[in-house]
Amino acid sequence: METLYAITVGTLTACSVFLILRGRSFPIVIGITMLSYAVNLFLFSTGRLTVNELPLVGLSESSSDPLPQALVLTAIVIGFAMTAYSIILAVRVRGEIGSDEVNDSNYAEQEGQR
Amino acid sequence: MLANHLVILPILIPLFAALLQLLPWGDNPQRYRRIIGITASSLTLITAIWLVGSVQDEVLVYALGSWQAPFGIVLVADKLAALMVALTAVLALPVLIFACHGEDNLGSHFQALYQFQILGIMGAFLTGDLFNLFVFFEILLISSYALLMHGGGKLKLRATLHYVVLNLTGSALFLISLGVLYGITGTLNMADMAGKVAVLEGDDAALARAGGMLLFVVFGLKAALLPLYFWLPQAYANTTGTVAALFAIMTKVGIYAIIRVFTMIFGADAGESSNLAQDWLWWLGLFTIFIGALGVLGSRDLRLVVAYLVLVSVGTMLTTLSLGHTDAIGALLFYLVHSTLVTAALFLLADLIAEQRGKTASRIVKGRKMAQHNLLGGLFFLAAITVIGMPPLSGFVSKLFILEAARTGAQVVFLWPLILGATFLMMIALSRAGSRMFWHTFEGKPNETTHPKWQHASVVMLLLSAVALTVFAQPISKYTDAIAIQLTTPFEYISSVLPTGGPDE
């Protein structure tokens, strides 16, 4: 199970890094969303991967660590808000500048005027 | 009663102020929002000073919901946290007064966002838990995303997009490093983790070091250390003056986090992981000073010049931190206070100058005379000599402390020429900017735009605190030295947070 889990997290991270390094805002937003999935899975695994164990003391023979689950929940909520914000921002940039390239040529000209 | 909850007050006051400001306040809401904002910032300042007074003899620990550490989340106010809280409060009030004269009308809910930003910064300084630090980072980041765009415009939008994407990636790295550290040590409480990391061996220690270096990358991004600084100049130069002035404290949040984590968890007593970031800090810091100084010299816009000045100060602080002994940390903290206040004053001034010059704005070219020419010129002169570090003001004193802190031959050989060289380049750049904008003006009538007295007053307030830093240099450096001693011997902090069953010391 550990190997499969590690491969999943690794693949997700690799794909998201590839997407984040693209030059347009839409793939970047998708990449960041994907990265947050990978991170959430990774955080979840820090309590060690176990099957059939409750995060409650006394109900099963051994109990799993409840803290990573709480951390993942917090990270999901924050990640969700950030994704929503970055999508709105990307749309706004697309609308006002007329291109969704992160560094477009107009920008370099404006730089030159400084 | 109130004294028991003193530690959480700097977080609660901005929180409730922001919530109040979000209520519908009738036809003319801005007036009420400003009153609430200024009252809240004054209250925060009073509590911050009270906090500095109460941490002189002990480390205050506030267990949220009375859940004791390491199981519950604690807020910890030691001398360093109190200093940073006080610095934020001293900065926030004049900047808010400045903003209340027009700039807060450029977009909606500036006032509430401002208070949320303060809330996040205060929380990051006071928390004693790494995951909680992440949460407060997110609070301050999400309000900073909105504040950075305040006023709108294409340049701001693009700078914000870069800033948001970089920081979202940074947050993901932060979570990964927290996951690694939690997986190895089984705790997120900083004091508890310091004890656990110290006894790690072999592979576990290697993993903890990897987690620590990831944290270093994240904090380096916030602090704008060399390979991670590219977001800073554009973001700071394009946003409004008030936001840039408030952001003078934002890089210091990153520096604070580096100081906290890399003196306590990965400090000198951390076993196999001891002094993890020392060498990196030294070289990256030196290169940051170098690049920052070149940027100062090469910028053709006053705001960009000030943004690169922030970079130079970041480099100076982190290089000094890497020296590691108490005198160096004391000098670094003194410099931190000085540079925050004076760069904030410069950002506000650049805003005033840009508006009064009209079409040429803050570009360093020949332009029309300003309506309040002499006043702005005088203030600029004062701020410039302070930030360069010429006698007699606080810049000189703090640079002297830093130069004195370099002890061995190698340290002197690298640090002295770079700091003095950067000072020289800053002097050239700022005197060029000043003479172009104030002396080489076109003949004829000056521009008509003027600014209300309160906006000048807030710049003067920030500069006066730099003067106060010079006059009271001795007591303040005594306090920063006391902080340095507390940081290099973290036992007091750790034993206050974990009264029973602390680390094996």
Side-chain angles (χ1 to χ4, degrees), chain B residues 94 98 341 345 348-349 352 375 378-379 382 453-468:
Chain B
F98 187 97
L341 294 171
L348 294 183
L349 257 180
L352 292 181
L375 178 64
L379 288 177
L382 203 65
K453 277 196 191 100
W454 276 106
Q455 292 201 319
H456 301 299
S458 46
V459 179
V460 171
M461 267 187 255
L462 287 171
L463 288 178
L464 271 184
S465 43
V467 175

Side-chain angles (χ1 to χ4, degrees), chain A residues 32 85-86 89, chain B residues 145 159-169:
Chain A
I32 286 175
Y85 185 85
S86 55
L89 184 67
Chain B
Y145 298 156
T160 309
L161 183 67
H162 292 179
Y163 178 77
V164 169
V165 168
L166 267 174
N167 276 300
L168 286 180
T169 321

Side-chain angles (χ1 to χ4, degrees), chain A residues 66-89:
Chain A
L67 194 62
Q69 306 183 10
L71 300 186
V72 169
L73 199 61
T74 316
I76 289 175
V77 173
I78 292 175
F80 190 65
M82 294 296 177
T83 312
Y85 185 85
S86 55
I87 289 174
I88 297 295
L89 184 67

Side-chain angles (χ1 to χ4, degrees), chain B residues 112-123:
Chain B
L113 286 169
Y114 191 89
Q115 296 296 334
F116 277 129
Q117 176 86 61
I118 303 285
L119 152 74
I121 295 172
M122 295 291 194

Side-chain angles (χ1 to χ4, degrees), chain B residues 22-44:
Chain B
L22 286 174
L23 295 176
W25 285 97
D27 293 336
N28 186 12
Q30 202 65 308
R31 192 169 152 247
Y32 298 102
R33 287 179 182 148
R34 283 174 183 168
I35 294 173
I36 295 169
I38 297 214
T39 318
S41 285
S42 318
L43 278 177
T44 319

